């Protein structure tokens, strides 16, 4: 019985070792968990720090966005105020220009400009020379296409006119091979400018000039007489200051005016009622402006244009969108009228629809017919007017080439023609009539 306690002591020794081992394992496991917990806490602190940094960045950017939005709102308000101010200045400028005219201006005068500041200066100076004393009748505008700074600065340097700017950022897609993009830009500019003057500024007439033109001393008197004529006769679609065959050797009489089925352009006056027809179908490219006007004429048969024998504008633009085409042969020799005609004393009743056919057919009837070869020599040897018949466009071009006038046709009409007849002078006073195959019948001769 005394050996039992001794055996129990031996059993307690392994149990003690087992307990110690278990405690050591628990301590090791606790240490591992403590390390992992410490690492997790460190990661959490790092993530928290990064999150706070991101929150700070977002807050900063939100503050910047709010500041930019506030700046944009202020700029939008300033833009509205600036537009209102510009509109006020334009209105005041036009009111100042028209002040003193009880019946308002007769016509606005607009100079179409783009990128030729030197040309523009020459044109403006020529216009102001004769416009300044009658500025209330003819408010002057410059309409610039694009943002050429030299042209803009030059335009704004004049206090006697109103400046308009057409900014067109729409890309141009040409419809025909070889077409110049400039022609599309010009057409867009013309439509915009005329819409502005007729519909925004409410002018009843507009005289259109280009930035490479000089005007004659009686330019404005001529258009005042033309305005009265257009009001009197609705079959006159527009009045022009230009004659395509106005070279020095082909003109003589500064008092002579003609009707024409061909739109001359290059210094012309249009009424708002006519623009109402043209604006919706204005062409996309400049060379087709003549076609657009011809289309309007097709809807109202019998309408023509009035033009002078001696030009009231001179085109000095050797370099431009047409690349100097025909300049040395046809434009440079143009005769600019230097006679101060008193148009108020002139009776222009012969130009009205009911009278002109009779008047013009009388001139053609009195001309002596010639034919065959050496037409120029024959015409020079006859004392008086002559008429020469052509059968088609090819024969017209051959005869026109012999005399040196424009051979070109546009839209089936010879330049300057009235009922197929082209008239010009040779040897000062003598007229030459190139008569088409149907012209005599149309005139009732």
């Amino acid at each position: 019985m005394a050996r039992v306690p001794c055996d129990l002591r031996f059993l307690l020794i392994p149990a003690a070792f087992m307990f110690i081992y278990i405690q050591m394992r628990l301590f090791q496991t606790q240490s591992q968990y403590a390390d992992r917990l410490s690492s997790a806490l460190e990661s959490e602190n790092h993530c928290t720090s990064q999150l706070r940094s991101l929150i700070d960045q977002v807050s900063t950017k939100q503050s910047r966005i709010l500041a930019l939005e506030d700046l944009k709102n202020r700029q939008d308000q300033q833009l509205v105020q600036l537009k209102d101010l510009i509109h006020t200045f334009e209105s005041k400028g036009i009111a100042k220009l028209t002040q003193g005219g009880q019946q308002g201006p007769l016509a606005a005068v607009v100079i179409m400009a783009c990128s030729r500041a030197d040309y523009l200066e020459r044109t403006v100076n020529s216009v102001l020379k004769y416009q300044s004393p009658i500025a209330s009748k003819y408010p002057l505008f410059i309409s610039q296409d694009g943002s050429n700074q030299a042209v803009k600065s030059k335009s704004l340097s004049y206090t006697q006119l109103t400046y308009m700017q057409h900014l067109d950022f729409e890309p141009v897609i040409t419809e025909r091979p070889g077409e110049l993009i400039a022609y599309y830009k010009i057409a867009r500019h013309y439509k915009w400018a005329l819409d502005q003057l007729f519909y925004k500024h409410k002018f009843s007439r507009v005289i259109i000039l280009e930035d490479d033109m000089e005007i004659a001393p009686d330019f404005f008197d001529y258009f005042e007489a033309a305005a009265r004529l257009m009001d009197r006769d609705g079959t006159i679609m527009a009045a022009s200051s230009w004659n395509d065959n106005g070279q020095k050797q082909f003109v003589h009489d500064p008092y002579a005016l003609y009707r024409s089925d061909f739109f001359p352009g290059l210094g012309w006056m249009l009424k708002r009622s006519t623009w109402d027809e043209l604006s919706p179908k204005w062409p996309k490219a400049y060379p087709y402006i003549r076609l657009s006007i011809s289309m309007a004429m097709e809807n109202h048969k019998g309408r023509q244009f009035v033009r002078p024998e001696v030009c009231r504008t001179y085109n000095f633009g050797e370099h431009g969108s047409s690349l100097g085409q025909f300049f040395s042969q046809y434009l440079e020799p143009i005769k600019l009228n230097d006679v101060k005609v008193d148009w108020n004393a002139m009776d222009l009743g012969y130009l009205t629809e009911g009278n002109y056919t009779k008047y013009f057919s009388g001139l053609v009837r009195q001309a002596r017919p010639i034919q065959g070869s050496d037409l120029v020599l024959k015409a020079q040897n006859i004392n008086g007017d002559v008429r020469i018949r052509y059968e088609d466009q090819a024969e017209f071009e051959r005869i026109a080439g012999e005399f040196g006038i424009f051979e070109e046709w546009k839209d089936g009409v010879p330049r300057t023609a009235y009922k197929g007849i082209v008239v010009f002078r040779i040897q000062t006073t003598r007229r030459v009539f190139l008569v088409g195959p149907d012209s005599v019948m149309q005139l009732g001769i």
Side-chain angles (χ1 to χ4, degrees):
M1 296 295 292
R3 296 180 56 184
V4 171
C6 182
D7 293 337
L8 289 172
R9 286 196 296 270
F10 282 111
L11 292 172
L12 290 172
I13 292 174
F17 279 113
M18 181 62 68
F19 177 78
I20 293 172
Y21 174 77
I22 292 171
Q23 291 295 319
M24 290 177 64
R25 291 288 297 177
L26 287 172
F27 178 77
Q28 184 178 10
T29 302
Q30 288 176 347
S31 297
Q32 289 177 350
Y33 279 117
D35 291 341
R36 291 178 182 176
L37 180 61
S38 175
S39 177
L41 289 173
E42 184 178 354
S43 297
E44 182 182 4
N45 291 335
H46 180 69
C47 289
T48 302
S49 176
Q50 286 185 330
L51 181 60
R52 287 175 179 173
S53 176
L54 289 173
I55 291 172
D56 291 341
Q57 291 179 17
V58 169
S59 298
T60 302
K61 290 182 178 180
Q62 284 179 336
S63 299
R64 291 182 62 186
I65 290 171
L66 291 174
L68 288 172
E69 287 179 348
D70 184 58
L71 178 61
K72 179 181 179 297
N73 291 333
R74 290 200 305 270
Q75 288 178 340
D76 288 342
Q77 293 174 357
Q78 291 173 353
L79 181 60
V80 171
Q81 293 172 355
L82 182 59
K83 286 181 177 180
D84 291 340
L85 188 61
I86 290 172
H87 179 71
T88 302
F89 282 157
E90 284 183 349
S91 300
K92 288 183 177 179
I94 295 170
K96 183 178 178 181
L97 285 170
T98 59
Q99 190 174 10
Q102 295 181 350
Q103 297 180 349
L106 189 143
V109 180
V110 60
I111 301 172
M112 310 297 286
C114 182
S115 59
R116 304 183 294 186
D118 53 340
Y119 278 15
L120 177 62
E121 181 178 18
R122 181 173 169 182
T123 298
V124 172
N125 291 340
S126 173
V127 173
L128 288 177
K129 182 178 179 180
Y130 304 109
Q131 181 263 2
S132 295
I134 51 173
S136 62
K137 281 187 176 181
Y138 300 96
L140 181 59
F141 291 76
I142 290 176
S143 182
Q144 180 188 359
D145 186 32
S147 56
N148 182 278
Q149 190 58 46
V151 169
K152 184 174 183 178
S153 298
K154 177 59 64 178
S155 301
L156 294 174
S157 70
Y158 294 99
T159 59
Q160 308 96 317
L161 54 81
T162 302
Y163 171 74
M164 306 190 303
Q165 187 176 25
H166 174 237
L167 297 175
D168 179 15
F169 301 107
E170 183 181 348
V172 173
I173 301 176
T174 60
E175 296 182 349
R176 300 166 184 82
E179 282 186 322
L180 296 176
I181 290 177
Y183 286 156
Y184 286 79
K185 292 285 189 181
I186 292 171
R188 291 178 184 177
H189 182 205
Y190 266 73
K191 186 179 189 308
W192 177 85
L194 290 172
D195 280 344
Q196 290 284 306
L197 293 169
F198 279 122
Y199 301 140
K200 179 181 178 181
H201 297 302
K202 308 297 183 183
F203 288 107
S204 58
R205 304 178 192 87
V206 176
I207 298 173
I208 300 98
L209 292 170
E210 296 173 19
D211 64 353
D212 54 1
M213 292 180 178
E214 291 180 331
I215 66 173
D218 64 341
F219 176 87
F220 291 107
D221 290 341
Y222 163 73
F223 275 112
E224 184 171 354
R228 291 195 298 268
L229 185 64
M230 292 168 68
D231 290 342
R232 179 179 173 185
D233 184 355
T235 66
I236 298 175
M237 192 169 188
S240 174
S241 58
W242 183 258
N243 174 13
D244 279 310
N245 292 321
Q247 295 77 21
K248 296 179 178 68
Q249 65 272 30
F250 299 129
V251 298
H252 169 69
D253 187 358
Y255 297 87
L257 302 180
Y258 298 88
R259 289 177 76 118
S260 173
D261 297 311
F262 184 90
F263 174 61
L266 295 180
W268 48 292
M269 182 171 68
L270 198 64
K271 294 175 64 175
R272 188 192 302 169
S273 58
T274 306
W275 183 244
D276 290 340
E277 300 175 44
L278 296 178
S279 181
K281 51 190 175 187
W282 195 246
K284 294 182 179 180
Y286 181 72
Y288 305 99
I289 287 176
R290 294 181 191 267
L291 179 59
S292 179
I293 294 176
S294 297
M295 287 169 60
M297 289 178 63
E298 284 298 316
N299 295 331
H300 301 272
K301 296 291 186 180
R303 293 196 294 182
Q304 286 98 27
F305 309 95
V306 169
R307 65 163 182 88
E309 178 173 314
V310 182
C311 291
R312 267 58 187 183
T313 47
Y314 178 78
N315 189 310
F316 58 82
E318 182 174 3
H319 305 290
S321 60
S322 61
L323 307 178
Q325 184 183 23
F326 306 134
F327 180 81
S328 60
Q329 183 177 359
Y330 296 112
L331 299 183
E332 191 173 23
I334 286 289
K335 165 70 175 176
L336 178 64
N337 179 57
D338 54 6
V339 177
K340 182 66 173 174
V341 176
D342 183 5
W343 289 104
N344 288 324
M346 294 284 293
D347 181 8
L348 303 183
Y350 71 95
L351 288 165
T352 58
E353 181 184 23
N355 297 329
Y356 189 74
T357 300
K358 181 179 179 181
Y359 162 78
F360 192 71
S361 63
L363 297 179
V364 176
R365 184 184 293 108
Q366 293 171 11
R368 181 175 174 180
I370 61 174
Q371 58 185 346
S373 58
D374 299 324
L375 293 172
V376 177
L377 182 61
K378 289 178 180 177
Q380 290 174 345
N381 289 332
I382 292 176
N383 186 20
D385 297 346
V386 299
R387 68 176 186 261
I388 304 168
R389 180 184 173 91
Y390 65 90
E391 293 297 332
D392 51 30
Q393 181 174 347
E395 188 173 14
F396 173 88
E397 291 174 351
R398 178 184 62 78
I399 297 171
E402 290 183 23
F403 284 94
I405 66 167
F406 255 110
E407 304 171 27
E408 184 184 23
W409 290 34
K410 289 285 189 181
D411 312 317
V413 180
R415 286 180 183 261
T416 77
Y418 172 72
K419 298 190 184 300
I421 299 176
V422 172
V423 56
F424 57 94
R425 306 266 185 173
I426 59 168
Q427 293 186 333
T428 309
T429 61
R430 300 174 186 173
R431 291 187 182 95
V432 176
F433 297 91
L434 302 187
V435 183
D438 301 324
S439 299
V440 171
M441 182 181 64
Q442 291 184 50
L443 288 176
I445 300 176

